[in-house]
Amino acid sequence: MYWWPLGAVVLHIIEEFVFPGGFADWDRSYRPQVRSSITPRFHLVVNAVLVLVCLALGWLGPSPRGVAAWLTIAALLLTNAIFHVIGTYRTRSYSPGLMTGVLLYVPLAMYGFTYFLRTGQASTGTALAALAIGGSYHLWSSLAHAQRANARDSE
């Protein structure tokens, strides 16, 4: 179970950038106000860090830190799925990453939170903190995109 996020993330990245691909262009058209911040380097770094963190989850395994980290990443992935659903709805066009987000990320988070709480491996406080931290990714990512875009556009 500790390796599941890695598999889901790899499949999601493949959907976004390989088959069918096109996420970067879709994202730039969806968020034109931060278009200049959505670069190949940005996607490479963010996805490389995510893959490395998911590898660490597998290595940490069933330790208290491993469970907390697993839940935090699951919350991040869940909000990423929500981002794709909202983006698809707003643009009325397919967001590459939508399918793996909905079919993998949502059930992974739901199952994981239920499992770790039910088995007592995570307290309610740990689960809520993980949800808040992981779920906040799109908020601070949007703020960082806006800051980078403003800096790039004012050059």
Side-chain angles (χ1 to χ4, degrees):
M1 172 172 186
Y2 293 91
W3 294 99
W4 293 354
L6 177 62
V9 162
V10 168
L11 291 172
H12 185 73
I13 292 169
I14 290 169
E15 181 186 1
E16 285 184 326
F17 298 102
V18 179
F19 182 78
F23 174 72
D25 289 336
W26 178 90
D27 194 19
R28 281 190 283 274
S29 70
Y30 173 46
R31 301 186 297 168
Q33 69 279 13
V34 295
R35 171 182 204 85
S36 63
S37 175
I38 302 170
T39 64
R41 181 174 183 254
F42 171 80
H43 283 132
L44 180 67
V45 170
V46 166
N47 285 301
V49 169
L50 183 58
V51 167
L52 290 173
V53 168
C54 288
L55 280 168
L57 294 178
W59 291 322
L60 285 170
S63 65
R65 284 187 178 151
V67 170
W70 195 100
L71 291 171
T72 302
I73 291 301
L76 184 151
L77 300 180
L78 175 64
T79 58
N80 186 260
I82 293 167
F83 166 83
H84 284 282
V85 168
I86 291 170
T88 295
Y89 176 78
R90 286 184 178 163
T91 63
R92 303 283 191 248
S93 65
Y94 167 73
S95 167
L98 175 69
M99 299 309 289
T100 51
V102 170
L103 297 176
L104 298 177
Y105 286 179
V106 172
L108 179 77
M110 301 310 237
Y111 177 80
F113 272 83
T114 302
Y115 174 79
F116 287 124
L117 285 166
R118 190 183 74 240
T119 61
Q121 294 181 62
S123 67
T124 302
T126 296
L128 289 173
L131 187 60
I133 294 166
S136 70
Y137 168 76
H138 282 284
L139 172 63
W140 56 265
S141 175
S142 292
L143 294 172
H145 269 304
Q147 185 178 25
R148 276 192 310 276
N150 287 337
R152 287 172 188 261
D153 295 344
S154 66
E155 291 178 348

